[in-house]
Amino acid sequence: MKQNSYLLDTHALLFWVNQSEVSGNFIKHFDNQQQKGNVAVSAISFWEIALLVKKKRIKIGDVQNWKNELFNNTNLRLINIDVSEMITSTTLPDFHKDPFDRLLIAQAKLHKTLLVTKDKQIQKYDVQTFWME
């Protein structure tokens, strides 16, 4: 049986790392999956997080150090952004206007991962999503 691979939406990454706004089962599941190397995060999420910090919508002292510690202490995989993913994100139906989310949708489709998101707009797309309370 093939193991699922997951791509965390930015909010899912923050909830999991901060162990807030998600259940203990969610945290345990993704702790287990990241140890197996089944969890990825997009480079776009770190740009989005840095912008949220700049706007004072979330509090992280140094995003660069936070990112480095995250990768040093987990088995997360980083998915860098490529041109094909950027182009694909512009061809998606206009259910969602957020360019960060559109790129995550394109990456999940092209990398054949489940997109871990609570976002109902994303669930309108032809992309496999995953969420657990």
Side-chain angles (χ1 to χ4, degrees), residues 15 18-23 26-27 118 131-133:
F15 293 169
N18 294 329
Q19 297 186 358
S20 67
E21 301 187 49
V22 289
S23 69
F26 182 101
I27 294 163
K118 199 174 177 175
W131 191 257
M132 67 179 2
E133 294 299 326

Side-chain angles (χ1 to χ4, degrees), residues 40-101:
V41 64
S42 173
I44 197 77
S45 289
F46 295 100
W47 183 19
E48 185 174 17
I49 288 167
L51 289 171
L52 290 170
V53 168
K54 182 178 180 177
K55 293 176 184 175
K56 298 182 183 344
R57 291 191 47 209
I58 63 172
K59 226 178 176 176
I60 295 175
D62 182 326
V63 177
Q64 194 73 259
N65 285 340
W66 183 83
K67 179 223 18 126
N68 291 342
E69 283 206 21
L70 183 63
F71 284 105
N72 288 337
N73 294 307
T74 65
N75 209 10
L76 285 176
R77 294 180 297 113
L78 179 66
I79 298 178
N80 284 308
I81 305 157
D82 73 21
V83 174
S84 294
E85 295 162 350
M86 288 186 272
I87 293 168
T88 299
S89 75
T90 69
T91 66
L92 295 171
D94 288 331
F95 304 134
H96 211 309
K97 304 293 185 207
D98 185 327
F100 294 111
D101 288 330

Side-chain angles (χ1 to χ4, degrees), residues 107-121:
Q107 287 183 312
K109 289 176 69 121
L110 292 168
H111 291 271
K112 296 177 175 45
T113 65
L114 295 172
L115 182 54
V116 181
T117 188
K118 199 174 177 175
D119 189 326
K120 299 289 186 217
Q121 291 297 102

